[in-house]
Amino acid sequence: MSEQKPRNASFLATMKAVFWSFFGVRKRKDYEHDAANLNPIHVIIAGLIGVVIFIGILVTVVRFAVSK
């Protein structure tokens, strides 16, 4: 039986990893570190927050472009 190391990355570190993954830019070393340390629940929550922010930015840009 293998013991799993507790995932101890902060939520801010998770948000940073999710932010960079939106762009598809991540070093292999950083990816491996994230895979070992990030909490999956935090990743899901951070992804949902990132999507809401992204959609909000898109809606704002479209409204600005249409109003001109």
Side-chain angles (χ1 to χ4, degrees), residues 25-51:
V25 180
R26 202 74 175 138
K27 293 179 183 175
R28 183 174 183 89
K29 179 184 81 167
D30 292 335
Y31 169 76
E32 291 171 354
H33 179 265
D34 291 343
N37 293 316
L38 294 180
N39 183 337
I41 300 299
H42 288 174
V43 172
I44 292 169
I45 294 169
L48 292 173
I49 291 170
V51 166

Side-chain angles (χ1 to χ4, degrees), residues 3 8 12 14 18 24 26 38-39 41-42 47 52 55 66:
E3 290 184 32
N8 56 2
L12 184 60
T14 304
V18 169
R26 202 74 175 138
L38 294 180
N39 183 337
I41 300 299
H42 288 174
V52 168
I55 291 172
V66 171

